Amino acid sequence: MSDKSSNQMWGGRFAAGPDAIMEAINASIGFDKRMAAQDIAGSRAHAAMLAAQGIVKDSDAEAMREGLLTVLSEIEAGEFAFSTALEDIHMNVEARLKELIGDAAGRLHTGRSRNDQVATDFRLWVRDQLDAADAGLTALMKALLAQAEAGADWVMPGFTHLQTAQPVTWGHHMMAYVEMFARDLSRVRDARARMNECPLGAAALAGTSFPIDRDMTAKALGFDRPMANSLDAVSDRDFALEFLSVASICAMHLSRMAEELVIWSSAQFRFVTLSDRFSTGSSIMPQKKNPDAAELIRAKIGRVFGANVALMMVMKGLPLAYSKDMQEDKEQVFDAADNWMLALAAMEGMVRDMTANRAALEAAASAGFSTATDLADWLVREIDLPFRQAHHVTGALVAMAEKRGCDLPDLTLEDMRSVNDQITEDVFTVLGVHNSVASRTSFGGTAPVRVREQVARWNEALR
């Protein structure tokens, strides 16, 4: 085969042949440069420990630590020239450090490996993202609480199967999402506590013969303790998988709420008006106001789910300890984190800015025979009908109202007594939607008094 044919097989991008392909597949600097701050923090902690243990001279350690700050400032200022030939963030930083301080830079890698270095960097990065998620979820919950408090006694239809079921309050519906996102918040905090162990000092896989102090570096980096097994320390990516699992469950909740906002803001529902900041107009239809932010949240969630599955596939067949496959962990997590944080921020903004249409909510709550269950309950409670018989009587009255084109409260007492002559005037006290929601006083129920209790509880918890 001619050289020309060979080059065509490699393709234009890889005209240089196998060397170019190997550099491209092996290099991770294109994405792991996002961990520059974490990498430099880890190296500065490691340098301080080496000096404290007498493994390197104090003067060398100080030069390393100061030089690393210079490198960080160059990266943050956009003045750093990243090199694909140097493969990753670790080698790029170390090469620049050598240019700055000379041979002392070569002592920085004493007692560690890129295996424990990247495991430490990645944990630090994920930990930062969990802290950001904590802040984002807290802000979203506070926005929901504000909506719930404002509309604690506003009635709206509650749905099952997207069919009108029973009246609930706007506040109760908002508080349902507070509970959902509170579980996400607890998972974020739980995951952070579990992953807060330091791999640094595990070296390549077996530890090191240098007299390092792993407790010192763990403490310096804000970890609770060093990881207890060096093989596990360099090969574990559970923390990243748990981050993606937590993100996926929260993303699902965000998508469910986004779906409701899309429905509620439609002309057919008019339950809410989204602010102009989170909507767009149509290029051809001037009457339209599109809930684009909600729709994009709903779509971006798939990327979070996909990242979760992708990293599972990367890790599922790896023997201990480190394998190069693990280089594929970061892009998935980075992308998922970006989209999760964006979705959280967008949802918080939409919830904080949206206006609920109280009149439309109440009109919808009063339609669709939403107080039928209240009527059945009254028949059981007041005239001692078995529930199945009460259900049958109520069904007959619903059919009568439907045939007449009215709702249950519009039927006369005579109409009702034609189906069951034990019904009294008192039945009308339960048929209004406000009466219905006020009666649901069981713990966790939709009654305004219960909603306000829950709002107060969560306001105190999040203070």
Side-chain angles (χ1 to χ4, degrees):
M1 184 180 291
S2 69
D3 288 342
K4 182 178 179 181
S5 298
S6 176
N7 284 343
Q8 286 175 340
M9 286 182 66
W10 293 121
R13 185 177 176 192
F14 300 113
D19 289 347
I21 289 179
M22 189 59 202
E23 180 177 298
I25 199 172
N26 195 49
S28 59
I29 189 60
F31 50 86
D32 69 13
K33 62 186 177 184
R34 289 187 64 165
M35 301 191 301
Q38 290 79 15
D39 188 73
I40 288 169
S43 290
R44 295 187 79 243
H46 186 67
M49 180 275 296
L50 292 175
Q53 293 299 101
I55 299 170
V56 302
K57 292 187 295 185
D58 288 345
S59 58
D60 284 345
E62 186 60 27
M64 292 179 214
R65 287 169 55 79
E66 289 301 313
L68 286 165
L69 286 180
T70 299
V71 175
L72 180 60
S73 67
E74 291 176 352
I75 292 172
E76 289 177 340
E79 298 168 355
F80 191 94
F82 292 101
S83 167
T84 305
L86 290 171
E87 294 185 13
D88 55 35
I89 185 61
H90 325 300
M91 299 303 291
N92 270 264
V93 168
E94 190 171 324
R96 177 60 179 144
L97 184 63
K98 185 176 181 180
E99 291 175 355
L100 290 170
I101 69 170
D103 290 342
R107 301 186 187 280
L108 179 59
H109 212 52
T110 307
R112 75 174 184 184
S113 159
R114 278 193 292 178
N115 292 357
D116 63 333
Q117 189 177 357
V118 69
T120 303
D121 293 358
F122 199 21
R123 272 181 191 257
L124 289 170
W125 194 92
V126 170
R127 192 177 70 183
D128 288 344
Q129 294 303 300
L130 287 169
D131 289 342
D134 190 309
L137 281 163
T138 300
L140 175 54
M141 289 170 67
K142 287 180 177 179
L144 287 162
L145 284 167
Q147 286 283 353
E149 194 164 20
D153 57 359
W154 299 359
V155 289
M156 67 175 290
F159 298 97
T160 60
H161 310 278
L162 204 56
Q163 305 293 316
T164 298
Q166 294 175 257
V168 296
T169 53
W170 171 258
H172 194 55
H173 202 113
M174 294 297 100
M175 290 306 296
Y177 281 109
V178 170
E179 293 293 333
M180 290 163 68
F181 291 122
R183 290 193 295 274
D184 293 322
L185 183 58
S186 74
R187 277 185 283 267
V188 163
R189 292 174 177 176
D190 187 48
R192 191 194 192 284
R194 187 164 28 259
M195 61 89 70
N196 203 35
E197 296 182 337
C198 185
L200 194 58
L205 76 164
T208 178
S209 59
F210 289 99
I212 62 172
D213 184 347
R214 293 191 63 205
D215 288 299
M216 179 180 174
T217 48
K219 183 178 180 181
L221 294 170
F223 289 108
D224 295 329
R225 64 192 71 84
M227 293 184 74
N229 183 285
S230 60
L231 285 168
D232 182 49
V234 298
S235 66
D236 170 56
R237 293 297 183 272
D238 288 2
F239 66 92
L241 288 166
E242 193 164 2
F243 172 81
L244 292 174
S245 298
V246 169
S248 293
I249 296 172
C250 181
M252 176 268 292
H253 290 153
L254 289 167
S255 186
R256 290 183 72 181
M257 187 164 196
E259 172 71 3
E260 292 214 308
L261 293 181
V262 170
I263 293 170
W264 289 353
S265 62
S266 68
Q268 289 72 24
F269 274 74
R270 297 185 301 109
F271 284 5
V272 299
T273 301
L274 299 177
S275 75
D276 291 347
R277 296 199 305 164
F278 294 97
S279 308
T280 63
S282 166
S283 62
I284 191 172
M285 294 168 282
Q287 83 282 9
K288 292 193 68 185
K289 185 175 182 180
N290 299 324
D292 283 6
E295 292 172 350
L296 286 166
I297 288 173
R298 195 173 56 184
K300 283 180 177 293
I301 291 327
R303 295 170 67 160
V304 180
F305 293 171
N308 193 13
V309 173
L311 187 53
M312 284 283 192
M313 293 300 102
V314 168
M315 297 301 300
K316 71 177 180 61
L318 300 187
L320 294 177
Y322 181 82
S323 297
K324 193 71 170 180
D325 309 50
M326 292 184 195
Q327 185 167 291
E328 289 298 303
D329 56 3
K330 293 164 207 67
E331 285 181 285
Q332 306 297 337
V333 173
F334 292 164
D335 186 73
D338 288 346
N339 284 284
W340 185 23
M341 299 308 153
L342 182 59
L344 275 172
M347 185 59 79
E348 188 263 336
M350 278 192 294
V351 171
R352 194 168 295 283
D353 286 2
M354 72 182 179
T355 302
N357 185 342
R358 185 176 184 178
L361 291 169
E362 184 162 341
S366 302
F369 310 106
S370 64
T371 55
T373 305
D374 297 277
L375 173 55
D377 288 348
W378 184 89
L379 293 169
V380 171
R381 190 170 59 249
E382 300 299 328
I383 62 177
D384 200 28
L385 285 187
F387 185 79
R388 288 300 170 202
Q389 188 177 344
H391 190 282
H392 177 77
V393 169
T394 302
L397 290 170
V398 166
M400 180 187 294
E402 195 168 34
K403 186 174 181 179
R404 295 184 183 181
C406 66
D407 204 353
L408 285 172
D410 300 319
L411 294 175
T412 66
L413 179 60
E414 289 71 22
D415 291 333
M416 294 190 182
R417 289 175 65 87
S418 71
V419 176
N420 185 291
D421 60 9
Q422 294 177 273
I423 296 176
T424 68
E425 189 76 33
D426 186 58
V427 72
F428 291 100
T429 64
V430 301
L431 291 182
V433 289
H434 288 280
N435 293 332
S436 175
V437 296
S439 72
R440 307 287 173 180
T441 55
S442 58
F443 180 78
T446 192
V449 64
R450 296 285 89 89
V451 171
R452 291 189 175 100
E453 286 173 358
Q454 292 301 315
V455 168
R457 178 174 76 87
W458 276 111
N459 274 329
E460 180 63 30
L462 294 177
R463 183 166 298 147

